[in-house]
Amino acid sequence: MSDAEQPTDDGVSGDDEFEPIQVFPEAEEMDLRPGADNCYKCSTCDTNCPVAEVDDEFPGPKFQGPEQWRLKRQDDQDVDDSVMKCSNCMRCDSACPSDVPLSQMHNTARGEYVEEQMEKLSREYIRNRILANYRRLAPLGSMFPRTTNFVMGLSATQWLGEKVLGITGERDFPEFATETFREWWTKRGGNATSKKRAQKARAKRGDAQVRSDEKRIAYFHGCYANYNTPEVAKALVRVYEHFGYEIMVPDQHCSGTPMFANGMLEDARRSAETNVRELRAAIADGADVVASCSSCSMSLRQEYPELFDFEGTEDVAENTWDAVEYLRVHEDLEGELEDTSVGDEFDDFAYHAPCHARNQGLDGQTTDVLAAIDGVDAHDVGDSCSGISGTYGWKAENYETSMKIGAEMFDHMEESEAKTGLTECPTCSMQMEHGTGYEITHTLEVLEAALVGDATEATAQ
Amino acid sequence: MARDTEVLVLGGGSTGCGIARDLAMRGLTVTLVERGNLTDGTTGRMHGLLHSGGRYAVSDRASATECIEENEILREIAGHCVEETGGLFVQRPEDSDDYFREKLEGCRECGIPARVLSGREAREVEPYLADDVERAIEVPDGAVDPFRLCVANALDAENHGARVETHAEVVDLLRDGDSIYGVEVRHDSGPGKRTHATPGTTEEITADYVVNATGAWAGQIGAMADLEIEVRPSKGVMTIMNVRQVDTVINRCRPKGDADIVVPHETTAILGTTDEEVADPDDYPEEGWEVDRMIDTLSELIPILSEARTIRSFWGVRPLYEPPGTGTQDPTDITRDFFLLDHADRDGVSGMSSIVGGKFTTYRAMAEEIADHVCEKLGVNASCSTADEPLPGSETIETLEAGMDDFGLRSPVARRSKQRLGSRASEVLETEKPNPVVCQCEGVTRAEIRDAISQSGSDLNAVRIRTRASMGNCQGGFCCQNMANELHPTHDEETVREALDELFQERWKGERHALWGEQLSQAMLNYALHATTMNRDRDPANENGDVDFAAFDGGRSGRTRVDGSRRAD
Amino acid sequence: MAIEDDVLVIGGGIAGATAALAAAERDVQVRIVSYKQSTLRNASGLIDVLGYTPAGDGPLADPFEALAALPEGHPYERVGSEAVREALAFFDEIAGDAYQGSHTDANALVPTHGGTVKPTARYPTSTAAGLASDDRDALLVGFETLPDFEAPLAASHLEATGAPFAARGVTVRFPGIVRDDAKITRYAHLLDHDEAVETADETRAGEPTAREALAETVRSHLADEARVGFPAILGDDRADAVRADLADRLGVDVFEVPMGPPSLPGMRLEDLLYEALEAAGVRVTTGVPVVEYETDDAEASATGPERIDRVIVDRNGAEIPHRADQYVLATGGLVGKGVRSERERVFEPIFDCHVPHAADRYDWFVDDVFGDQPYARFGLPVDRDLRPLDAVDDPEFSNLRAAGAVLGGYDFAAEKSGSGVSLATGYVAGRRAAEGCR
């Protein structure tokens, strides 16, 4: 109800009388009611929702998205609290046969809910804020990785996490690497070294333009590959250099994925602003952007343009690639992998396609590509969701749901012959390990083993 | 001779129901008969604008003044049917400055609160307004649900002892010389609540006085007693958008013309309209160019409309009237005022008056005037209280809005339900039984559907206008069936089948005018669901059971066949 | 570099999957690119071949008899009735025990959730015990929280069709469902995993499992019926086990009544097809649309049709080229968005193939909702090789075939022929595409 009291009949416009409260600086762009136009109620989204399948309390994406938006008026402020049960896996997005912007609707509704309805001093809010801002905490942890790993592993710490913050005590915190990727990268000589190595590789490959600037990528490593699994980031560097690419590692913030999932749109906006600025500059320098984490690439490609409009947002989205897909389209990756092998290190894999890779049409890619390597087979363990969905499965109230969702994947992993897990998403990887005890690796590490072999950094340098 | 009723009101639109309520509240015995459902005529076919009077502020200041008075009254007595959206008269660069000024002056003179907004301010209020909108006048227009408002009047009339018969078509006026003393009606399914698949009956209803409130159909009623009533029915198209592109009533600020208003109506926005005289209010062409004009012309104000999804279009017929000899050519020039034709004075036939002309916003004032007239005729001394007594649903509207109880429903569903039901919300929604949502587009739950069924029998269209179920983007494709399911077991299977078919066909009627883009895909999905998945188009139950079941596959295990033999594989 | 395959199928519903499987039988590399999820989960999961003639005669006890008499341009007429039989046999092999009906040419009459019966050629095993020509009495069970299926009403309706058995319906509470708006996948999951549930019955010690509690609830309503029908929510991944378990506990046959969208039998059919695709080595790329194509200029002759060189897949703005020798278009009809429309026109969005339609949109429909609807026939006309034809009946491209609901000239909803046409045309298009590879 917008104007029960009518202004006086003075016939003059009064600026001061009109101060609509804007939750978001571009509030008008956040109106997604027109997005409901595409929905024709088929419920395909609901059948793809891993949360609705295990939890009655979640009414499914059709309600959370087009129905809730259609029932809304501009100034209604009663987003249903069940929106916080959405894990932001975004499967509904790729399911919808009619292009309803479901995840955008969820992200926006969640943002409104957190902004308007959530108690800011609540344990839930504080906990979510902490989980969403992993990148701010991670540097502290990785400064003293061994101490942190030790403390985080203590049962007393986990008990505190659960009781005080609602972070489940069932999970082990990810270990921090003793050397972050960026530390390694700097020590290795940064871009200058990479440039030389790329030139050398091009010469060796017989590339026509050894001095060409065209083979240049900007690597968006994200938080996890930097602090926790630098071996994945290093694998990317070596594989790309093998193909003669010069690598740049621009300054970067969190991609925003955990912030979207927690409705912390303002935090996400700040991070996105930095990322867009830095990546756009790299693109202007002739680089394409690649990411090794499927949620990071998803965020840069899809969520940024849906939620923000910094200058260059579209440009970044259009020039960002998944690391394997990029090689597949720009190089003869499968040809190069023919007749390679990976020795005893790897055998068969139980491969899980992360939801955020699936959403980008990348679900079949890893099995396709790895099939070219002798003696390696990646068995797809089905299209179920791992259930962790970033920070979702870390919350005590979601832990059980998260494990229920993951049960199908665990079963399929155990049914498969392979004893190593494979995926491109760091949190899926945690979940796979947590549910099966398998060691989990990343596709890029397998490619590194096939293409670069055991050539350690020391000998190569 | 004792009559069945003191007053017999013909027509179950806003005027008829308003009159019935008014007279019943004054203590008279009243019977109302309606050919179809309540609101089936013009009332259910309007754009849902609760006039501030701004639209008439230049051309017809008497109407404008009356509108703002009634607007304020309806906000009080029918809060649960009204949404106080506010309205804008929007000026585009090509629209006249003089007219804009006249509009503003007119509003002031008629007591309509109005102020000017710059183009930028107007776009802050409604972000989808065109970039080149110059300025706007803000007025207290509102949106009103004509269905629920009309039904609330009928309900309150019944609460005061009136008899309301829907699906009771007047087939003859009972006339004794120069005196009319009642009507003969044909009940579609016997008197009382409608039940499909029940044979019809006829009934003579006698009355001390008859009020012909059939609007555009008044001439047809008059003809039954050889009375000539010169109604000039004029059609107008309205196109319903799937979502609200605007939350404020948007009027084009220019003298007159087609396609100059968008009304946010519940979950939708309604584009209107045209004004074209027709010969027969039941039979006139509904044409695609009229729909196109709504979209194309209004896109000048709100560009997003050209890409947006429409879910249906419908046409209404205005009951325009002008006294014989006025001779206006263009129907847009015919006055929107109403006329009370006392056939005793006019034609020398006593016992009946006819009401023609008028507009929805002022229905209550019209009803009051007519009720005064009837009382005078009958020598009754009783005063009107309809402006002070809230309608059912609006008695305690403030406490309801403040109330936090969501009845276990998701919050947007609860909000919508409470807005529709008003103070009846807890009575209807508080239930121990499971209360799933039956119509997902509009957020209507089982409890609300069943409440409507208890009011209106097996008539699902009557359920629809009370609840909005099946009025959303699937146009009943997914919920018609589920609404019909709620009729069982109160109503038997055959009744349910007929009721379902009728509602499904009615939904199709309007959806035909929106058949492109998303709505064509929707129509195909609806068709596939009903014809393929349910085989409702060739339902063997409709074909008198002449299917030879024994000729079909009885299963691999070779079950006993109908004739007792074993089937050989 | 383009991503290369021999046969590229665009669309992943029954037609696309069947085309890919049929092509993969030959020694060629096949890929499916599908954008969004198929409309299979909107459909009942039944394989209708032909239930009524285009003139509305039926229900047809023998669909094959009527195939020969179909008008020119009907997809079945294009491929010939022998191909329909071959495609069904191909499907039977893929489906194995999951589907029944192959033992006879006769159609079966399957009860629908609206209480009618519908003629179909193949039906999921989960519905087999419910056939309407089976004269055993049936109890139908509905759930208070699932308003789509009103069992007592459906039972009365079934009797009104003249079915040769007595039907009775009851409505019960589904044990373990707490919210009234739980999704059907939640019901299926509860039964699949046989989760422990809380019941209202306080006399029971401990928590029964979902199947146990459901059987318990239904048992008290069961009289001497020999079979019990439920809405189609009896499990997803482990539907057979769920049904067998319930049948054991109840001591009678258990069947499912197919439901509208979202349909678990449709989802199970999709799973079955995708497992077959994986086994056949078909590569599958989902979630990305094909947005453009490029022709091979070198191959274009002065008179013959153009040849598609590559198609462009859009991935959030990046263009990924896919090249194949032969292409199959199986993108669905109006619902699947393989055919789209605007106020002035109806079109096929990827290759802009010709879609015949009246110029005035008021000629796209008739006033009776179940009348002979022109819009239901929108789609591509094709030659006998299933190549889409342009406005003057020449093939649009030399290496593009179309299959399934994207085809025009038939009303699958009225004829009950949707899945059958998808199977038959998908099978033929896939086989011919593989044969056409250089």
Side-chain angles (χ1 to χ4, degrees), chain C residues 345-363:
Chain C
R345 66 176 189 135
V346 184
F347 60 102
E348 184 281 300
I350 299 177
F351 300 101
D352 200 21
C353 289
H354 171 60
V355 182
H357 63 275
D360 182 348
R361 69 170 188 266
Y362 278 71
D363 294 328

Side-chain angles (χ1 to χ4, degrees), chain B residues 286-289 291-293 295-296 306 315 408-410 432-438 440 446 450 478 481-482 484-486 488-489 491-493 496-497 501 504-505 508-509 512-518 520-521 523-525 527-557 559-564 567 569, chain C residues 42-44 48 52-54 56 58-61 99-104 106-109 112-114 116-119 123 128-129 131-136 143-150 152-153 156-157 160-164 173 179-181 183 253 258-261 334-335 337 339-344 361-362 364-371 373 375-376 378 411-414 416:
Chain B
E286 298 175 344
E287 290 171 275
W289 66 264
V291 176
D292 288 341
R293 179 169 298 173
I295 296 167
D296 297 339
S306 64
W315 277 255
L409 303 172
R410 303 284 174 196
E432 286 300 304
K433 300 239 169 178
N435 187 23
V437 171
V438 171
Q440 299 183 331
R446 171 180 287 161
R450 291 197 173 161
F478 282 75
Q481 159 88 3
N482 299 0
N485 284 345
E486 299 302 328
H488 193 77
H491 298 274
D492 65 16
E493 188 276 324
V496 175
R497 205 186 322 149
D501 284 341
F504 195 59
Q505 180 69 45
W508 173 243
K509 191 168 173 257
R512 295 174 309 163
H513 299 289
L515 278 194
W516 69 85
E518 298 302 341
L520 182 56
S521 292
M524 188 65 213
L525 179 59
Y527 179 45
L529 170 59
H530 286 260
T532 313
T533 307
M534 288 192 270
N535 197 20
R536 290 214 311 111
D537 59 331
R538 313 229 187 274
D539 185 351
N542 291 338
E543 324 217 326
N544 305 318
D546 55 2
V547 174
D548 178 13
F549 282 85
F552 289 81
D553 177 9
R556 190 156 54 186
S557 52
R559 306 263 181 235
T560 309
R561 297 184 61 168
V562 188
D563 59 6
R567 194 196 57 245
D569 271 337
Chain C
N42 295 348
S44 60
D48 304 342
Y52 296 84
T53 67
L60 301 170
Y99 273 76
Q100 296 190 22
S102 61
H103 60 281
T104 169
N107 271 328
L109 292 171
T112 76
H113 72 291
T116 61
V117 295
K118 174 175 99 140
Y123 40 91
L131 297 191
S133 300
D134 182 335
D135 60 0
R136 294 175 302 161
F143 302 111
E144 285 176 338
T145 42
L146 276 186
D148 296 60
F149 182 62
E150 172 69 10
L153 179 64
S156 305
H157 198 144
T161 66
R173 198 171 279 219
R179 290 291 305 215
D180 296 346
D181 56 1
K183 304 292 112 180
D253 277 356
M259 299 266 284
L334 286 167
V335 179
K337 303 277 173 87
V339 176
R340 289 178 182 255
S341 63
E342 293 167 354
R343 268 192 278 167
E344 313 292 334
R361 69 170 188 266
Y362 278 71
W364 298 353
F365 62 82
V366 296
D367 291 347
D368 175 5
V369 63
F370 289 135
Q373 295 292 357
Y375 73 79
F378 284 166
D411 178 343
F412 74 80
K416 327 298 164 193

Side-chain angles (χ1 to χ4, degrees), chain A residues 38 40-44 46-49 52-60 93-99 301-302 317-318 320-322 325 328-332 334 358-364 368 371 380 404 407-408 411, chain C residues 1-3 31 35-39 41-42 176-179 181-187 189-190 192-193 195 236-238 261-263 267 271 278 283-288 315-321 334-337 340:
Chain A
N38 285 351
Y40 49 65
K41 321 297 287 184
C42 69
S43 299
T44 301
D46 286 348
T47 62
N48 280 271
C49 175
E53 184 179 333
V54 295
D55 185 356
D56 294 22
E57 296 287 331
F58 188 64
D93 254 5
S94 44
C96 173
S98 196
D99 285 329
R301 282 167 155 184
Q302 182 177 325
E318 282 168 19
T320 298
W321 298 74
D322 165 79
E325 179 190 34
R328 216 174 169 209
V329 173
H330 292 84
E331 303 293 329
D332 184 9
E334 281 162 70
R358 191 172 294 281
N359 292 336
Q360 300 182 62
L362 301 173
D363 46 334
D368 281 7
D380 194 315
K404 268 193 193 177
E408 194 179 329
D411 287 353
Chain C
M1 293 240 4
I3 295 174
R31 178 184 300 275
Y35 182 22
K36 301 293 187 160
Q37 288 204 347
S38 79
T39 52
R41 57 192 68 214
N42 295 348
I177 290 289
V178 183
R179 290 291 305 215
D181 56 1
K183 304 292 112 180
I184 61 139
T185 47
R186 175 70 194 134
Y187 293 79
H189 188 98
L190 267 173
D192 263 354
H193 296 260
E195 288 180 26
D236 182 5
D237 293 336
R238 301 170 199 171
S263 152
M267 290 160 65
D271 288 347
E278 197 187 348
R283 296 175 159 190
V284 179
T285 302
T286 61
V288 284
R315 199 268 301 116
N316 297 90
E319 297 188 339
I320 314 291
L334 286 167
V335 179
K337 303 277 173 87
R340 289 178 182 255

Side-chain angles (χ1 to χ4, degrees), chain A residues 8-24:
Chain A
T8 50
D9 189 9
D10 60 5
V12 193
S13 77
D15 276 346
D16 52 346
E17 285 179 64
F18 246 96
E19 281 187 19
I21 298 161
Q22 296 206 336
V23 178
F24 304 101

Side-chain angles (χ1 to χ4, degrees), chain B residues 41 45 217 233-237 276-287 290 314-318 509:
Chain B
R45 306 181 150 270
W217 290 263
S234 160
K235 72 165 176 173
V237 67
E276 198 181 343
E277 199 161 333
V278 297
D280 181 346
D282 287 316
D283 185 16
Y284 50 84
E286 298 175 344
E287 290 171 275
E290 300 176 86
F314 60 92
W315 277 255
V317 178
R318 301 175 187 82
K509 191 168 173 257

Side-chain angles (χ1 to χ4, degrees), chain C residues 177-256:
Chain C
I177 290 289
V178 183
R179 290 291 305 215
D180 296 346
D181 56 1
K183 304 292 112 180
I184 61 139
T185 47
R186 175 70 194 134
Y187 293 79
H189 188 98
L190 267 173
L191 293 171
D192 263 354
H193 296 260
D194 208 11
E195 288 180 26
V197 296
E198 283 175 35
T199 59
D201 184 3
E202 285 164 16
T203 58
R204 267 194 79 103
E207 289 190 337
T209 66
R211 296 179 198 169
E212 218 180 324
L214 178 59
E216 188 90 340
T217 308
V218 172
R219 190 178 301 117
S220 61
H221 294 279
L222 190 61
D224 47 7
E225 288 91 354
R227 46 185 177 154
V228 179
F230 292 91
I233 49 118
L234 301 183
D236 182 5
D237 293 336
R238 301 170 199 171
D240 290 340
V242 170
R243 212 171 52 251
D245 199 356
L246 288 174
D248 266 2
R249 291 173 190 277
L250 289 168
V252 295
D253 277 356
V254 166
F255 64 94
E256 288 186 321

